[in-house]
Amino acid sequence: MRTPMVAGNWKLNGSRESAVTLASEIASTSVAGIADNVEIVVCPVSVHLAEVSAVLKSTSVKLGAQNACAEEKGAFTGEVSASMLAEFGCEYVIIGHSERRSLFGDTNESCAARHKAVAAAGITPIFCVGETLDDRESGNTMAVVESQLQSVFDACGDNGFASAVVAYEPVWAIGTGKTATPDQAQEVHAQIRDFVAARDQQTASLLRILYGGSMNPRNAAELIGKPDIDGGLIGGAALKSADFLAICQAAAAQA
Ligand code: PEP
């Protein structure tokens, strides 16, 4: 049995004040019922972690970060390590988001190293995979997704996803308002589970695979209703508490 999960990726948005307000709205409403059936995570900008962590204390909403360094400490200007994030109460870290891969030079290898460091710090990586429109149109969706997953097996071994979450985020659907159809998403999710199962059957059956890419309150129920879609990684719609909570409610209804 996999508990559905909805994670909000706040990206580079908000102020100290608005981050606290958004976290408070999510925490206060979710405690009133939804959170019994869905795991809710918010991932603010790293400089807002302390204040958001204080708001979430004693609530069931979990804290996540948007990236982590593969190194523990040292001469790595601008980076934040997994153990530092753990000190702030982070239970999840998004790794390999397509914006990191396309804008900041993250590679399969560096994402896998980050994944490994996060897991070693006792935090759950949310490992993002997904194809570009070119990849999809040239029939390479699964080759790309499998090479991204393979990098984790290469770095961490057969049980590299044992304490992890995978987010399937087709790059062409992120922030574009274009969503993969539920059938398109289900097809890839099922193949991701099969790919992991070939290495470790039990991990695959327990693995939560989130869909990300313009999920919103109108399309969430149909997407999360598919058998291999265990929730969502939400960008734009995570910045409005009402929209985010409506998605959480859709996920809770599937539990
Ligand atoms: C994301 O950035 O992870 C994402 C899914 O964004 P959006 O929901 O805005 O497409």
Side-chain angles (χ1 to χ4, degrees):
M1 181 61 197
R2 301 186 293 266
T3 304
M5 176 175 163
V6 177
N9 173 12
W10 293 0
K11 309 193 186 191
L12 187 61
N13 288 298
S15 61
R16 291 169 75 177
E17 194 184 343
S18 71
V20 164
T21 302
L22 183 55
S24 309
E25 288 170 2
I26 290 166
S28 58
T29 317
S30 67
V31 171
I34 309 169
D36 295 339
N37 295 316
V38 57
E39 192 167 3
I40 301 174
V41 181
V42 296
C43 304
V45 177
S46 61
V47 292
H48 297 154
L49 284 171
E51 275 153 312
V52 172
S53 173
V55 171
L56 300 183
K57 208 169 176 188
S58 312
T59 78
S60 52
V61 179
K62 311 248 169 91
L63 185 66
Q66 298 175 17
N67 189 23
C69 186
E71 305 295 335
E72 171 66 27
K73 61 178 178 165
F76 303 102
T77 302
E79 293 289 302
V80 178
S81 74
S83 62
M84 292 167 185
L85 296 172
E87 270 197 285
F88 281 88
C90 285
E91 295 182 57
Y92 291 91
V93 180
I94 299 169
I95 297 293
H97 189 280
S98 69
E99 287 152 17
R100 299 285 330 160
R101 293 176 188 265
S102 66
L103 302 173
F104 300 103
D106 288 12
T107 62
N108 278 350
E109 290 66 34
S110 73
C111 291
R114 291 168 199 267
H115 180 105
K116 188 174 183 181
V118 164
I123 302 179
T124 302
I126 302 174
F127 190 79
C128 300
V129 298
E131 81 288 3
T132 63
L133 192 56
D134 265 5
D135 295 330
R136 176 162 282 266
E137 288 178 346
S138 51
N140 286 328
T141 297
M142 279 321 294
V144 168
V145 168
E146 288 179 3
S147 72
Q148 293 164 337
L149 297 169
Q150 183 62 43
S151 67
V152 170
F153 287 129
D154 292 345
C156 307
D158 282 354
N159 63 357
F161 290 101
S163 303
V165 170
V166 169
Y168 168 57
E169 300 207 303
V171 178
W172 49 271
I174 296 178
T176 58
K178 284 187 199 156
T179 316
T181 66
D183 286 342
Q184 277 176 324
Q186 164 60 25
E187 183 183 20
V188 177
H189 281 233
Q191 291 181 80
I192 291 172
R193 201 175 303 287
D194 286 348
F195 189 73
V196 174
R199 306 295 286 258
D200 185 340
Q201 181 69 53
Q202 201 197 348
T203 293
S205 62
L206 296 174
L207 182 66
R208 285 182 295 183
I209 308 174
L210 312 182
Y211 170 79
S214 300
M215 192 185 271
N216 61 47
R218 291 168 299 290
N219 59 28
E222 215 190 332
L223 283 159
I224 301 172
K226 291 289 178 186
D228 289 291
I229 303 181
D230 304 308
L233 178 57
I234 318 297
L239 297 174
K240 286 193 189 141
S241 57
D243 285 355
F244 185 68
L245 288 165
I247 296 170
C248 294
Q249 208 143 22
Q254 303 295 333

